[in-house]
Amino acid sequence: MGPIGFLVVFFAWPVLAIVGRGFAAGGLDVVLGDPQTWRLAGFTVATAAGSTVVAVLAGLPVAFLLARAKLPGVGLARTLVLVPFVLPTVVVGLAFRALWPDGGVLPIVLANAFFNVAVVARTVAGLWARLDSRTSDAARALGASPWRAFRSVTLPALAPAIASAAAVVFLFCATSFGVVLILGGARYRTLETEIYLRTVDLLDLSGASALSLIQFAAVVAALVVGGLARRRKEGARIGSGAVRRPRGGEWWVVGAAGVVLALLLTPIVALLAESVSASDGWSLAGYRALAGTGEKGALQVSGWDAALNSLKVAIDATLLALIVGVLASVVLVALRRSPARAARGLGETLDAALMLPLGVSAVTVGFGYLVTLDALPGDLRTSPYLVPLAQALVIIPLIVRMVLPVLRSVDVRLRQAASTLGASPLRVWREIDLPLTLRPLVAAAGFGFVVALGEFGATSFLARPTSPTLPVAIASLMGRPGELNNQMAYAACALLMLVTVLAVALIDRLGAARGRVGEF
Amino acid sequence: MKRRAVRAATAIAAVSVVTAACSLSDGSGDTKQTPTVTLVTHDSFLAPQEVLDAFQQQSGIKISVLKQGDAGSLTNKLVLTKANPVGDVAYGVDSTFASRALAEGVFEPYTSPEADRGPQRYAVDPEHRLSAVDVGDVCVNVDTNYFTAKGIPAPESYDDLADPKYKDLLVAEDPATASPGLAFLLGTVAKYGEAGWKDYWTKLKANGLKVVSGWEEAYTKDFSGSSGKGPRPIVVSYASSPAAEVGDDGKPRTKALLDTCYRQVEYAGVLAGGKQEENARKVVDFLLSQQFQATVAANMYVYPTRQGVDLPAGWAQVAPLPQKPQALTADQVQAGREKWIGEWRTLVQ
C-alpha cells in the first residue's frame, strides 16, 4: 500500500484541502451557474479535442515510419520526435507567437499538438511493431487494397493504442497552461488558466474550486474512455511485424511522416537560430554566457549549474517514481488477476486513479502543499526534496502506463512452474519477472527522466533560486530585459534539447525492444 | 555474446552514474549552528552572494531565500499560510497587494531603526507592519531609433498614445495576468479618474492597442527596441528597462516616458507567527541597510527607498526616477482592483 500512501499524502490530501477551502468559502453555486464558466469548459474541451485529433493524425504516419519502415535515419527520427515534448512552454509559446503574432485558437491547438505528436507516434509504433503482419497480408492476398487492409485489419488492431495515447494527449492538452496563456492572451481562456488566475492573482478559492471540479469531471471522462479502449488491447494479435522497405502507396505515408517531422523540427531549428543570433549578427555569446549567471546576474547560479541540478532532480524524481510506479503496477496486476470481482473492480478504479495527477492543475497541487504539508514532520513545504517529489507525481502515471501492460503479459504459468519447482517468491521475481520486464523498465525510467527534465509547472512553483532546473532558469532569463539574457535562454533550450536527445538515444539503445520509450 | 556484454556493462555504468548522482542521499553536511532566517520573496529577488555572506559574518544570521511567484502570488501564499508561515520575513508584497496582506494579519508591527532614512516616505500602515524596501515605476517605453528613422516625435503622454499618429504601435500587458499591465491600468485610473479611464481605454483600443498576457511576450517579441526586434515601438515596461538596453556605443536604444509612470513600492515585514522574531527583525534592518539598498538597482531594476544610496553609473541619464508618477493609495487599489480588472476585460477584449 506504499504507493497509495504516497499518492494520498502528496496528491489527494493537498488537492482536497485546497478544493475544500473553496467549498467552505461558499459561492460554488454562483460559479457553476455562470454561463461564462460553461463557455470556458466548452472551449477547454473543444481545443483539447482539436489538439488531440491533430496529434493523432500527425502521429500515425510517424508511427508507421518508426514501426514498419526499413529506412536510414529512422532511429534518429525516433529520438528527435521526443524533443518537442520537453521544450519549455514559454519558448514554444514564443516560437508560435513569432508565426502567429496575434495568437488565437489555431496556434493554441497546433502548439498543444506539437508537444504531443511524440506520445501518439511512439505509443502506436510500439504496438504496431509487434502486430502480427500475417493478418493484413492475408487480407491483401484475398484481394483487399492496401488502404482497405489498413482500414479493416490494421487500424482496428491499433485502436487500443491510439485511444490510450489520445486519452493521455487529451489530458496534457486540457491542462496545458503556458501555451494558452501566451497564445490566447487575455482573449482565449481555459479552465486551467482561469484556475491559475483565480488562485494566484485573485485568491478566489471558491471560484477556483468550482472550476477544478469541472476540470476533474472532464479528466475522469477522458480516463474512462481511455481505460475502456485499453481493455481491448489484449485482443490484438501480437506476433512479429515485418520491417521492410516501404513500397507502392506506403511511400505516401513515409512522405507524410517526413512532412510531420519537418514541421516538428521547424520551431526547434528556429530556436537554435535564435540562440546564435544577436542584434549585430551571429554570435555564440549565449552559449558562452551559460558559464555565468546572465546579464546583471539574472540567475543565482550559472547555466551549467542549473543543467546539473536538472539532471540531479530528474534522476531523484525518476528513481522515486520508479519505486512507487512499479510497486503500484505489481499491486494492480495482483488485483486484476484476483478471482474476486470486487478486487478486480478495485484494480480498475486504482488504475484510473493513478492517472489523475496528470489532470489536476499544478497550481492546485502547489497551493495544496502550502496548506497541508506543514502538518508533516520536518515541514516539507520549504524542503528542496519537494521538487523531485512533485516531478515524481507527474511521472508515476506514465511509468505505470508503460510497466503495467508488460507485467500483465508475463505468463502466470511461468511463475507457477517456478514455484512448483521450489523457488521462493523473491527468486521467482528475480528469475522470471525481472528479466522479462527489465528493458521496458529501463525504457519507462528513461521516459520518466525525460519528462522530469522538461517539467515546468510544479517545478517553478517549488524550485529554490539557489537550485533552479533548466526550464526554470530559462523562464527567469526570459523574464528579464537584456539581449544577452534572451540569447542565453535560447542557448539553455538548446542544452536541454541536447541532454534530452542523448538520454533518449541511450535509453532506446538499452531498452532495445523497438519503440518502447514513450508508449502508453 | 560480446555485444550483450557491452550492453550489460553500459547498463551497469549508467546505473552507477545514476546512483552516484542521486542527491536524495547526499546530506550536504551543514552543521546547523548558525540560526537561519527564511526570507520569503518574489521571483525577481536577486542579491549578490557577497552581500548576504557579509551579513552572515556580521550578524551570525544565515538568510535562506524562498521565492514564491510574483508579488500577487507571494501575497496570496502568505495569506494562505498565515497560521503557520513558511518563513520568518517576507519581502516583495507591493503597494497593489499590501492592503490584502495587512487586512489578513500576515505581518506583525516592527519599526526598524533604519526606516527613517527614507523608507518612511512610503509608509502604508500606521502600525509599521510593512517597511518600504524599494520603489519601481511602470512606464511606457519607446524605441527611440524607430521614431528617429520615421522622422516623427516619440509620444510623451497618456493622451499621445491615443493619438492616431501612433496607431498600431502600442503593446501592453493584460492587467489580469501581468503586474506591469495592472500598474498601467491603475496609472490610467489615477490619471483619468473613475469617470474617465474607460473612455481613455476605448480610445486606446480604437487606436490599435495590442494586449498580450505577459511582460516577456510584450517586451521580447512585440517590442522593436529590444532583442526580439518586434514590430511595435511602444511598450508598457519599467522606468529602469532602458538601463538594460545600452548598446556598445554606451547609448540606450530605448527611453521611458516619464509622464506615463505608475509607482509600485515593495515592502518587507516580519511574519506574524514566525519562529525567530528577533532575528527576523534584524533581516528587515538589513534589507533597509546601506549595503543591501546599494544592490537593488543593479540586480532588480528598482530604486532604493533609502536616501543617499548611489545608483549604478549612467542610471541618472538612462533610467532616472520619474518625478511625478501616478499613484493610488493601497486602500484605493484594494477596493477597486477586482472591479477595474473585470470592467477592463469587458471593455478591451
Side-chain angles (χ1 to χ4, degrees):
Chain A
M1 289 293 107
I4 292 167
F6 179 88
L7 286 168
V8 166
V9 172
F10 292 107
F11 176 68
W13 179 36
V15 168
L16 290 176
I18 202 83
V19 172
R21 280 187 176 228
F23 264 109
L28 240 59
D29 47 332
V30 179
V31 182
L32 290 177
D34 185 353
Q36 171 79 10
T37 304
W38 297 99
R39 270 202 298 279
L40 278 177
F43 182 74
T44 307
V45 169
T47 48
S51 300
T52 308
V53 169
V54 174
V56 168
L57 289 180
L60 282 182
V62 181
F64 172 81
L65 180 76
L66 302 186
R68 286 292 159 109
K70 192 172 189 175
L71 286 170
V74 168
L76 187 65
R78 189 192 317 283
T79 304
L80 284 183
V81 80
L82 259 181
V83 169
F85 201 73
V86 298
L87 286 179
T89 41
V90 52
V91 171
V92 174
L94 291 181
F96 275 74
R97 272 288 307 278
L99 291 170
W100 284 272
D102 292 323
V105 182
L106 182 70
I108 293 177
V109 168
L110 292 181
N112 275 331
F114 168 80
F115 282 111
N116 290 301
V117 169
V119 175
V120 177
R122 297 193 63 128
T123 304
V124 176
L127 181 61
W128 206 334
R130 280 173 291 148
L131 211 59
D132 198 335
S133 54
R134 280 172 301 182
T135 332
S136 84
D137 290 345
R140 293 295 312 281
L142 293 170
S145 69
W147 171 237
R148 175 86 204 264
F150 174 77
R151 227 179 40 206
S152 13
V153 179
T154 313
L155 196 57
L158 290 179
I162 296 174
S164 180
V168 171
V169 172
F170 181 84
L171 284 189
F172 280 136
C173 295
T175 56
S176 113
F177 172 72
V179 163
V180 182
L181 200 62
I182 294 174
L183 298 171
R187 243 177 328 149
Y188 301 104
R189 289 176 291 141
T190 59
L191 288 171
E192 183 83 5
T193 60
E194 194 67 12
I195 290 171
Y196 189 90
L197 187 75
R198 295 203 184 192
T199 312
V200 169
D201 293 324
L202 307 178
L203 202 62
D204 169 15
L205 291 185
S206 61
S209 297
L211 297 172
S212 301
L213 289 180
I214 300 175
Q215 190 175 40
F216 204 72
V219 162
V220 169
L223 289 179
V224 169
V225 172
L228 287 176
R230 262 196 308 280
R231 206 182 302 167
R232 290 181 15 218
K233 202 168 197 164
E234 273 90 303
R237 283 196 57 166
I238 303 298
S240 55
V243 179
R244 52 171 169 72
R245 249 183 98 73
R247 52 186 180 224
E250 289 174 356
W251 282 108
W252 285 104
V253 184
V254 172
V259 171
V260 170
L261 286 172
L263 288 176
L264 290 180
L265 285 178
T266 314
I268 295 173
V269 171
L271 78 89
L272 283 177
E274 291 248 23
S275 75
V276 291
S277 60
S279 55
D280 47 1
W282 304 109
S283 153
L284 285 175
Y287 289 88
R288 281 195 296 271
L290 286 175
T293 55
E295 200 172 327
K296 314 234 163 140
L299 302 175
Q300 220 156 311
V301 300
S302 77
W304 292 111
D305 286 339
L308 208 61
N309 188 51
S310 266
L311 287 176
K312 275 190 188 169
V313 170
I315 287 166
D316 291 346
T318 309
L319 288 178
L320 191 59
L322 215 50
I323 295 168
V324 176
V326 169
L327 286 176
S329 305
V330 170
V331 171
L332 285 178
V333 169
L335 283 173
R336 285 280 186 98
R337 289 213 170 116
S338 158
R341 239 192 109 119
R344 282 204 304 275
L346 179 66
E348 280 180 25
T349 314
L350 279 180
D351 189 351
L354 277 169
M355 294 286 281
L356 286 178
L358 286 186
V360 172
S361 171
V363 62
T364 308
V365 178
F367 268 63
Y369 279 180
L370 281 178
V371 299
T372 53
L373 293 190
D374 57 326
L376 294 183
D379 203 348
L380 274 174
R381 292 178 303 171
T382 58
S383 157
Y385 301 148
L386 213 49
V387 177
L389 277 174
Q391 289 186 351
L393 207 56
V394 179
I395 323 176
I396 289 167
L398 306 178
I399 291 203
V400 170
R401 275 279 77 74
M402 291 169 73
V403 172
L404 192 61
V406 183
L407 272 185
R408 211 186 288 151
S409 68
V410 173
D411 198 330
V412 198
R413 284 169 297 182
L414 278 175
R415 290 207 194 98
Q416 285 162 345
S419 323
T420 319
L421 293 170
S424 67
L426 194 68
R427 178 108 193 248
V428 173
W429 162 252
R430 207 179 66 214
E431 302 280 344
I432 311 277
D433 294 81
L434 197 60
L436 285 171
T437 51
L438 188 61
R439 280 185 176 160
L441 265 182
V442 171
F447 190 63
F449 180 73
V450 167
V451 173
L453 269 187
E455 210 286 327
F456 179 71
T459 309
S460 68
F461 243 77
L462 306 166
R464 300 176 139 235
T466 45
S467 48
T469 61
L470 261 185
V472 171
I474 291 166
S476 332
L477 287 167
M478 298 296 267
R480 297 176 73 88
E483 181 169 18
L484 186 66
N485 285 336
N486 205 265
Q487 268 177 286
M488 188 178 162
Y490 283 106
C493 282
L495 185 63
L496 183 62
M497 291 194 292
L498 183 73
V499 174
T500 309
V501 166
L502 289 179
V504 176
L506 180 71
I507 300 302
D508 270 343
R509 293 241 125 181
L510 291 175
R514 285 169 49 89
R516 286 317 259 288
V517 181
E519 186 187 321
F520 302 101
Chain B
M1 213 51 225
K2 212 172 173 186
R3 270 183 65 181
R4 195 183 270 181
V6 171
R7 246 183 222 160
T10 327
I12 290 167
V15 169
S16 10
V17 169
V18 163
T19 334
C22 174
S23 70
L24 272 183
S25 51
D26 92 359
S28 45
D30 210 319
T31 41
K32 293 278 176 211
Q33 289 306 321
T34 39
T36 304
V37 167
T38 304
L39 171 67
V40 193
T41 184
H42 53 54
D43 286 340
S44 319
F45 179 85
L46 251 185
Q49 195 56 47
E50 312 89 78
V51 175
L52 297 176
D53 289 346
F55 173 70
Q56 186 174 345
Q57 284 283 317
Q58 222 171 38
S59 63
I61 300 168
K62 186 175 184 303
I63 296 180
S64 156
V65 175
L66 190 67
K67 292 191 189 182
Q68 299 277 301
D70 64 7
S73 120
L74 168 68
T75 310
N76 296 345
K77 287 178 180 178
L78 293 174
V79 168
L80 275 178
T81 56
K82 65 181 177 184
N84 185 8
V86 287
D88 309 289
V89 178
Y91 159 47
V93 170
D94 70 8
S95 36
T96 26
F97 290 97
S99 298
R100 180 180 289 169
L102 291 176
E104 296 275 355
V106 167
F107 294 101
E108 64 179 45
Y110 172 58
T111 312
S112 168
E114 306 277 351
D116 54 7
R117 302 297 181 85
Q120 218 72 286
R121 283 174 293 171
Y122 304 105
V124 273
D125 165 37
E127 286 182 63
H128 298 291
R129 288 172 292 180
L130 289 174
S131 306
V133 176
D134 68 74
V135 288
D137 287 83
V138 168
C139 307
V140 173
N141 279 214
V142 294
D143 172 3
T144 41
N145 292 341
Y146 175 92
F147 292 101
T148 318
K150 289 268 168 177
I152 43 173
E156 286 179 359
S157 64
Y158 285 109
D159 283 339
D160 284 352
L161 299 176
D163 187 326
K165 207 182 341 173
Y166 303 109
K167 196 169 171 55
D168 295 334
L169 301 186
L170 170 65
V171 57
E173 298 86 359
D174 181 350
T177 52
S179 75
L182 177 59
F184 183 58
L185 170 62
L186 296 178
T188 62
V189 174
K191 164 89 179 165
Y192 296 102
E194 265 306 338
W197 73 266
K198 282 187 252 180
D199 277 349
Y200 176 68
W201 278 91
T202 312
K203 284 188 215 148
L204 277 190
K205 194 183 173 189
N207 208 28
L209 157 81
K210 176 171 181 179
V211 177
V212 298
S213 59
W215 177 89
E216 293 85 349
E217 298 116 87
Y219 196 78
T220 66
K221 283 290 160 192
D222 285 299
F223 182 45
S224 60
S226 184
S227 53
K229 301 260 160 277
R232 291 183 176 237
I234 312 177
V235 66
V236 172
S237 190
Y238 298 90
S240 54
S241 304
E245 304 296 348
V246 176
D248 294 333
D249 57 355
K251 288 185 188 142
R253 295 178 282 252
T254 62
K255 189 177 83 174
L257 308 181
L258 299 184
D259 290 334
T260 62
C261 299
Y262 180 83
R263 175 144 297 172
Q264 286 178 315
V265 185
E266 291 190 329
Y267 297 92
V270 175
L271 290 170
K275 285 164 202 81
Q276 325 191 38
E277 218 171 288
E278 201 45 50
N279 290 332
R281 292 173 170 190
K282 286 186 191 151
V283 173
V284 173
D285 295 346
F286 165 66
L287 294 173
L288 301 175
S289 71
Q290 176 76 29
Q291 296 136 291
F292 181 80
Q293 291 275 305
T295 70
V296 300
N299 288 283
M300 292 181 275
Y301 294 103
V302 288
Y303 304 85
T305 51
R306 193 184 174 98
Q307 280 160 337
V309 175
D310 290 336
L311 288 175
W315 268 47
Q317 288 82 48
V318 172
L321 190 63
Q323 290 307 306
K324 278 187 242 149
Q326 304 292 339
L328 296 171
T329 67
D331 290 331
Q332 283 174 306
V333 176
Q334 177 71 8
R337 185 180 45 224
E338 262 82 74
K339 180 173 72 99
W340 294 326
I341 292 178
E343 289 171 344
W344 182 93
R345 282 185 150 189
T346 10
L347 187 74
V348 177
Q349 283 152 46

